[in-house]
Amino acid sequence: MILEMVRANGAVSLRELARVVQTSEVTVRRDVRALEAEGLLDRRHGGAVLPGGFTREAGFPQRAMAATAEKTAIAEVAAGLVRDGEAVVVGAGTTTQELARRLARVPGLTVVTNSLLVAQALAHANRVEVVMTGGTLRGSNYALVGSGAEQSLQGLRVSRAFLSGAGLTAERGLSTPNMLAASVDRALVRAAAEVIVLADHTKIGTDTMFQTVPPDQIDHLVTDQPSTESERGAAQLEALAERGVRISVAGGQGTAPGRVGPAAERPERADRAPERGDRAERADRGEPRAPERGADGPPQRRDLAVPGPRRVVGQVPGRR
């Protein structure tokens, strides 16, 4: 049953396997190890994938079916980070597609994207302006890539970038198996003053071939609750927090500020907007920040890293 699910979906989390076969994650983990020893699948943090190493990339149908509940919860939290009237970039991926569906309710928003799925999700949002990059269509994930996409992002400046990928580690940051996709994601990062990574627990601790965002350029990670039996996942989150990444866990019980490890102070990136505006001045004086969304916003999130000295991102000039 386990091997059949992995072959059908490309990648399956231990949590999902345990639910389908109606057994504990401990039992599933033991069975997965046995199948890996026979060379029938590869273990990844929180799940199992077909053999293929760093270069293997699951097809879109398989990615769309993996960790769907977790991606929905992550998207809800991420949408709560966006303010009315902002300009943001949203990369390609099934998690960012879920985010786009929720951004349709943010008035005055401008979304720049290279993803046809993100654009489609926002096509009927009357209060949201969608800007597509140029480029060549990559059919496996419905994204525009290549020099045309990268050139269309030159000179762009937005407040936040929302990106996903195939793997995330504290050592290399966000990564993907495809060189063209990685190159466009790097261009999206250069356009943003703040980088927010969306990654469910199956991607934490997984490394793939091409680095897209180094860990020291990730400002905020939105993820879901790691497996209760996954020490590796918790260790990766702690290592990321020690590198200064703010971590929000979707699906937590209430809001519980804390820290996985000491939040490291990070130097200002030279390619980010130097203007911080009134919000930064208020933060420097120690005044409390206003809430980002109203009471009717998305469910509360649990922050694992206490905000330390950090840059406060302002609005894109000329946008309200």
Side-chain angles (χ1 to χ4, degrees):
M1 173 69 77
I2 292 176
L3 190 57
E4 291 176 359
M5 288 185 62
V6 174
R7 285 173 174 170
N9 297 284
V12 186
S13 69
L14 293 179
R15 189 178 304 168
E16 181 67 12
L17 287 170
R19 185 188 67 81
V20 172
V21 301
Q22 297 182 343
T23 187
S24 68
E25 288 190 26
V26 174
T27 301
V28 168
R29 192 186 305 275
R30 184 179 64 244
D31 294 341
V32 166
R33 283 174 179 164
L35 291 169
E36 182 185 40
E38 297 177 23
L40 299 175
L41 51 75
D42 289 341
R43 281 189 300 153
R44 292 290 184 268
H45 164 65
V49 301
L50 290 175
F54 288 104
T55 60
R56 187 189 178 280
E57 183 177 21
F60 176 78
Q62 289 78 24
R63 297 197 305 272
M65 294 296 294
T68 54
E70 290 86 349
K71 292 174 182 176
T72 298
I74 290 169
E76 285 286 351
V77 172
L81 303 174
V82 180
R83 297 182 178 87
D84 298 354
E86 275 194 309
V88 300
V89 294
V90 179
T94 53
T95 309
T96 52
Q97 180 187 20
E98 288 295 329
L99 169 63
R101 291 169 178 154
R102 287 149 184 83
L103 293 182
R105 64 195 181 201
V106 182
L109 184 66
T110 299
V111 176
V112 181
T113 185
N114 69 319
S115 170
L116 299 186
L117 298 176
V118 168
Q120 182 184 41
L122 294 168
H124 300 292
N126 296 328
R127 300 179 296 176
V128 178
E129 180 181 357
V130 180
V131 179
M132 292 290 298
T133 68
T136 302
L137 177 63
R138 184 169 180 254
S140 61
N141 66 343
Y142 301 95
L144 298 173
V145 297
S147 59
E150 295 172 41
Q151 290 172 8
S152 65
L153 293 167
Q154 291 181 1
L156 180 70
R157 174 60 67 183
V158 298
S159 57
R160 308 171 201 272
F162 292 91
L163 298 174
S164 186
L168 176 66
T169 66
E171 294 76 21
R172 292 187 69 227
L174 193 66
S175 62
T176 181
N178 184 267
M179 180 175 63
L180 294 175
S183 187
V184 174
D185 281 353
R186 294 187 200 110
L188 293 172
V189 168
R190 289 192 293 269
E194 182 180 16
V195 177
I196 302 172
V197 170
L198 313 181
D200 65 74
H201 70 278
T202 65
K203 299 174 182 178
I204 307 297
T206 298
D207 198 8
T208 56
M209 192 170 185
F210 297 98
Q211 182 190 59
T212 55
V213 189
D216 61 346
Q217 291 187 4
I218 300 174
D219 296 290
H220 196 158
L221 166 65
V222 184
T223 185
D224 64 304
Q225 187 68 40
S227 171
T228 56
E229 300 170 4
S230 176
E231 295 182 0
R232 183 184 179 192
Q236 285 289 323
L237 293 179
E238 180 150 353
L240 285 165
E242 289 175 349
R243 301 193 71 152
V245 179
R246 181 183 177 190
I247 301 174
S248 295
V249 177
Q253 300 298 318
T255 303
R259 70 171 52 179
V260 178
E265 185 172 354
R266 176 181 309 174
E268 195 79 21
R269 274 178 50 194
D271 61 341
R272 291 190 178 173
E275 297 296 331
R276 298 194 301 167
D278 293 338
R279 287 195 299 132
E281 294 176 5
R282 290 197 299 270
D284 292 340
R285 294 196 299 267
E287 297 178 18
R289 292 178 60 187
E292 293 185 348
R293 295 297 294 267
D296 58 344
Q300 290 179 312
R301 64 181 184 271
R302 185 175 65 176
D303 289 343
L304 294 183
V306 173
R310 58 191 291 268
R311 174 177 33 76
V312 180
V313 181
Q315 295 280 357
V316 177
R319 293 197 177 275
R320 290 298 301 169

